[in-house]
Amino acid sequence: MEMALGRELCEMLGIEYPIFQGGMAWVATAPLVAAVSEAGGLGIIGSGGFPAEWVRDQIRRVRELTQKPFGVNVMLLSPHAEDIMRLLEVERVPVVTTGAGNPGKYIDKLKRGGTKIFPVVSSSALARRLERLGVDGIIAEGMESGGHIGEVTTMVLVPQVVDAVRIPVIAAGGIADGRGVAAAFALGASGVQVGTRFVVAKECEAHPAYKRMIIDAGDRDTVVTGLSTGHPVRVLRNRFAREFLEKERLGTSKEELARLGEGKLAAAVLQGDVEGGSVMAGQCAGLVKREQPAAEIIKELFEGAQAVFAGIKHSERGEGK
Ligand code: TUI
């Protein structure tokens, strides 16, 4: 029997698979977003630190490529967050996700335009507060994720958030194959959000050297920078990460560390500077084996999870059991 994994979430959003593509800054641009949505998942534009005009252009490009629902992620530490939220109200974007803060003050206006809002949280306390303010679902993101992270693992965070709220919970952090998707559902999630695996999608415009570094990574190849400044960020180990961690160890000021990080994600994603740049990726980089079309990734994630629940145990070694 096939499991109806995530049906409720799919019906709420008008999508075919309960799979969100993480709204990764610089990486999640129109071609990837449209490919994921066209394949039946939810593509999400990463608005990162970009101005509202850039986001408007990306929305236009996604709408040229697909009629299907898509989302925009708003990074709340961005100085442009307020302008972007105003734009998203006007554009009546189907789904908004938020990261790195509390989106409380934007919820009412977005909802009035029919936008569904799914904040990313790293604690059950914030999940509970945001449910009371009327959000449509919660993305519970564990510290296995790439980029800016919280302190609790996905395994431990997801069931606690599921118990704390009645709205759908999307699990994020560490999910890169069907086994991870099945695990998320086993923890009570209604869907998953996947970032790192979609960086290596064929349609993703990230530099080939960035993709190569994810594909070549093993289970111990990420580190967390910024623990001393209160802005922990998970990246792949390289010269940039080593130098940053060494500066932290020496007690370098927050301001200097912030300067050291400026422009480093763009350098890695656009120019392929994977030694001097910030190669953000989750711990599941070790599970990512090859570049594939987004549609194929979505199928493998979903059908892999169905196989787990059907009792066909899946190792990636290929012998079936
Ligand atoms: O936002 C992310 N991941 C990101 S944002 C980003 S851009 C950046 N670049 C350099 C330095 C810092 C950021 C790269 N990756 N994930 C979602 C996420 N949100 N993870 C954790 C949180 C979070 C943390 C605290 C959400 C809410 C929160 O609430 C604090 C509060 O105000 O209560």
Side-chain angles (χ1 to χ4, degrees):
M1 190 199 79
E2 291 217 333
M3 301 269 303
L5 295 171
R7 273 305 105 201
E8 189 195 359
L9 180 75
C10 289
E11 276 160 28
M12 178 201 272
L13 301 178
I15 57 180
E16 294 146 66
Y17 296 98
I19 299 172
F20 288 16
Q21 158 254 304
M24 302 165 282
W26 294 97
V27 168
T29 55
L32 175 64
V33 172
V36 169
S37 285
E38 194 56 28
L42 187 76
I44 300 178
I45 297 167
S47 67
F50 288 99
E53 298 73 57
W54 182 91
V55 181
R56 183 190 294 122
D57 183 59
Q58 291 290 315
I59 293 170
R60 187 181 52 72
R61 287 171 58 190
V62 170
R63 284 181 164 147
E64 280 167 9
L65 293 167
T66 184
Q67 309 262 58
K68 302 222 171 140
F70 65 95
V72 176
N73 174 264
V74 182
M75 211 275 282
L76 294 168
L77 290 171
S78 164
H80 305 291
E82 197 137 350
D83 286 351
I84 293 171
M85 287 295 193
R86 255 197 306 275
L87 166 74
L88 300 181
E89 285 164 32
V90 175
E91 291 284 338
R92 295 177 176 258
V93 165
V95 178
V96 168
T97 67
T98 62
N102 183 338
K105 62 177 177 182
Y106 303 112
I107 293 169
D108 285 345
K109 280 193 179 155
L110 284 172
K111 278 179 61 114
R112 247 177 268 149
T115 296
K116 300 267 192 279
I117 174 154
F118 286 72
V120 175
V121 307
S122 45
S123 74
S124 50
L126 184 56
R128 209 177 285 118
R129 234 178 299 145
L130 290 168
E131 178 183 45
R132 261 189 265 122
L133 295 178
V135 302
D136 298 281
I138 295 285
I139 303 171
E141 188 190 271
M143 55 84 81
E144 297 93 322
S145 299
H148 180 70
I149 54 173
E151 292 178 358
V152 185
T153 63
T154 302
M155 176 81 96
V156 167
L157 180 66
V158 171
Q160 294 187 77
V161 173
V162 166
D163 287 347
V165 301
R166 289 163 183 279
I167 50 182
V169 175
I170 315 302
I175 302 169
D177 63 21
R179 295 168 297 184
V181 175
F185 279 98
L187 296 174
S190 300
V192 296
Q193 176 165 280
V194 171
T196 304
R197 178 108 186 246
F198 281 120
V199 178
V200 307
K202 271 216 156 56
E203 298 88 347
C204 174
E205 296 183 304
H207 194 282
Y210 199 114
K211 295 184 177 183
R212 172 51 48 197
M213 201 169 174
I214 288 175
I215 288 166
D216 289 344
D219 49 10
R220 300 191 61 221
D221 287 337
T222 72
V223 290
V224 180
T225 60
L227 281 168
S228 69
T229 65
H231 287 292
V233 174
R234 184 179 301 283
V235 297
L236 289 175
R237 285 180 200 280
N238 62 3
R239 176 165 51 79
F240 166 76
R242 272 191 302 280
E243 287 176 3
F244 196 101
L245 289 171
E246 178 62 8
K247 285 231 158 69
E248 276 189 85
R249 203 181 60 81
L250 295 171
T252 306
S253 72
K254 273 188 177 193
E255 293 71 30
E256 195 183 331
L257 289 170
R259 267 198 302 280
L260 201 66
E262 264 170 37
K264 295 298 197 291
L265 178 60
V269 178
L270 297 186
Q271 280 102 52
D273 182 3
V274 295
E275 272 310 311
S278 171
V279 187
M280 294 184 190
Q283 287 185 324
C284 63
L287 288 166
V288 176
K289 301 289 157 55
R290 59 188 186 278
E291 191 178 54
Q292 287 170 294
E296 212 173 287
I297 294 174
I298 290 174
K299 256 183 121 71
E300 277 189 20
L301 288 166
F302 191 75
E303 288 172 6
Q306 285 184 317
V308 170
F309 284 113
I312 309 158
K313 184 173 164 252
H314 257 200
S315 92
E316 297 292 324
R317 291 188 303 272
E319 67 264 41
K321 274 268 176 202

